[in-house]
Amino acid sequence: MPVAASFAYEDAEDDEDDTAPADDSSSSSVEVTAAAGSGLGGLAKVARLDTLVTVVDGQRFLSDVLAAESLQERQLQADDDDERTVADLLVEQVEFADVLLLNKIDLLSEQEQQQLCALLRKLNPSAKVLLSQNCRVPVQEVLHTGRFSLEQAQAAAGWLQEINRFEARPFHPQRLLDSALSQTWAGVLRSKGFFWLATRHDVMGLWQSAGGAWQGEPSALWNAARPDTFAEAAASGGHWHAQWGDRCQELVWIGIDMDEAALRAMLDACLLTDEEMALGPAGWLQQLQDPLPPWETGEGAEEGEWEAWEEGEDEQQ
């Protein structure tokens, strides 16, 4: 959420005369109400973010989300390293909005309107959904609403609904690629969560998909792989397996007319069998093929992201 994040950013070298907010296209529309800031950096010095409004094209939203087209193909990328898809951007805009304006309803049937409204509410349960033609809505619905909350935006979890999958058993990387990632997930618009890969036993994977594009990247060490103090703290509450600690698959799927049984069967086929589980982490690393792209878990990671990893290595040396 680049616009909202810019209000939280505080630059120690901010020049008080440099108050012009930068243009950003990550939201369809943003209402900013000027307000004097006291001791705040960035845009918060000169403005207050009042409402994040996303305009949803009712006629094209589903087709754009289901397509695996990249922003680069449409020349909409933020920079040369931006590998997001159009679906990624659209879903982000919906998830972080305070108000969702479903436009062009005159071109939709009653059933299509209801379907889209239900989907938007699953992606973002806290947002207010307004129906419109030509973006005409009462001005009080989008101006001076006071709806925006940075804390809520940072903790947005509109995707935590629909099909939930939890399993304390790792994925086989080759089967994950062949049986899941190389397949078409009928009806799935969004999936997100954490996953456990057998050949990357100590690292929590971050799973996310929008439309037809999937991304998997390292998040952090599992608590069970951290120094004993962290493991003991994690074991004191919440999910904790006697052997594997907090390692698990924890995924959520959102979509329309999804075949839940087929999705669960697909994921089950990717899990290690009892015989493979018996090999243990050393055996998994030696005997299982891992064709997935490598993860950067050292110098290439974001600053602070791998502090626990480095601390663990220090204690082992």
Side-chain angles (χ1 to χ4, degrees), residues 23-196:
D23 183 34
D24 192 293
S25 59
S26 67
S27 294
S28 299
S29 175
V30 179
E31 160 62 9
V32 179
T33 302
S38 176
L40 298 175
L43 293 180
K45 291 196 304 182
V46 295
R48 173 176 59 84
L49 185 54
D50 179 76
T51 314
L52 278 173
V53 182
T54 292
V55 179
V56 177
D57 186 330
Q59 196 174 30
R60 296 181 52 184
F61 183 75
L62 281 180
S63 60
D64 281 345
V65 168
L66 288 171
E69 192 175 5
S70 71
L71 291 176
Q72 293 181 352
E73 290 178 87
R74 293 196 185 182
Q75 298 184 337
L76 296 173
Q77 71 272 24
D79 52 48
D80 292 339
D81 296 323
D82 190 350
E83 298 180 352
R84 292 176 299 165
T85 64
V86 173
D88 287 328
L89 183 59
L90 290 175
V91 171
E92 282 179 11
Q93 290 182 3
V94 168
E95 287 181 331
F96 287 113
D98 303 307
V99 175
L100 294 169
L101 188 59
L102 180 56
N103 196 37
K104 300 184 181 178
I105 59 170
D106 52 314
L107 303 179
L108 304 175
S109 67
E110 185 68 26
Q111 181 180 359
E112 289 172 329
Q113 288 183 36
Q114 294 177 359
Q115 189 180 56
L116 274 171
C117 285
L119 173 61
L120 294 175
R121 290 190 175 102
K122 284 193 178 297
L123 289 170
N124 188 340
S126 63
K128 185 168 187 177
V129 179
L130 303 174
L131 306 183
S132 72
Q133 298 179 32
N134 300 317
C135 292
R136 293 178 179 173
V137 294
V139 67
Q140 64 268 23
E141 295 285 6
V142 294
L143 292 178
H144 303 293
T145 71
R147 286 181 174 273
F148 177 74
S149 165
L150 181 62
E151 291 75 17
Q152 290 181 11
Q154 289 173 327
W159 50 270
L160 293 176
Q161 292 186 22
E162 202 59 56
I163 299 175
N164 293 270
R165 179 63 176 165
F166 180 89
E167 186 70 45
R169 182 174 291 227
F171 284 137
H172 187 300
Q174 185 70 62
R175 289 204 297 271
L176 181 64
L177 176 62
D178 295 340
S179 300
L181 304 182
S182 299
Q183 306 302 315
T184 299
W185 305 338
V188 176
L189 299 176
R190 181 72 155 161
S191 67
K192 202 167 183 180
F194 301 103
F195 70 106
W196 173 19

Side-chain angles (χ1 to χ4, degrees), residues 171-237:
F171 284 137
H172 187 300
Q174 185 70 62
R175 289 204 297 271
L176 181 64
L177 176 62
D178 295 340
S179 300
L181 304 182
S182 299
Q183 306 302 315
T184 299
W185 305 338
V188 176
L189 299 176
R190 181 72 155 161
S191 67
K192 202 167 183 180
F194 301 103
F195 70 106
W196 173 19
L197 205 57
T199 49
R200 309 177 193 191
H201 179 61
D202 288 339
V203 184
M204 178 191 298
L206 181 64
W207 172 299
Q208 54 185 340
S209 74
W214 177 85
Q215 288 183 325
E217 56 190 16
S219 175
L221 287 178
W222 295 103
N223 283 322
R226 296 180 179 182
D228 290 344
T229 53
F230 292 95
E232 290 172 2
S236 64

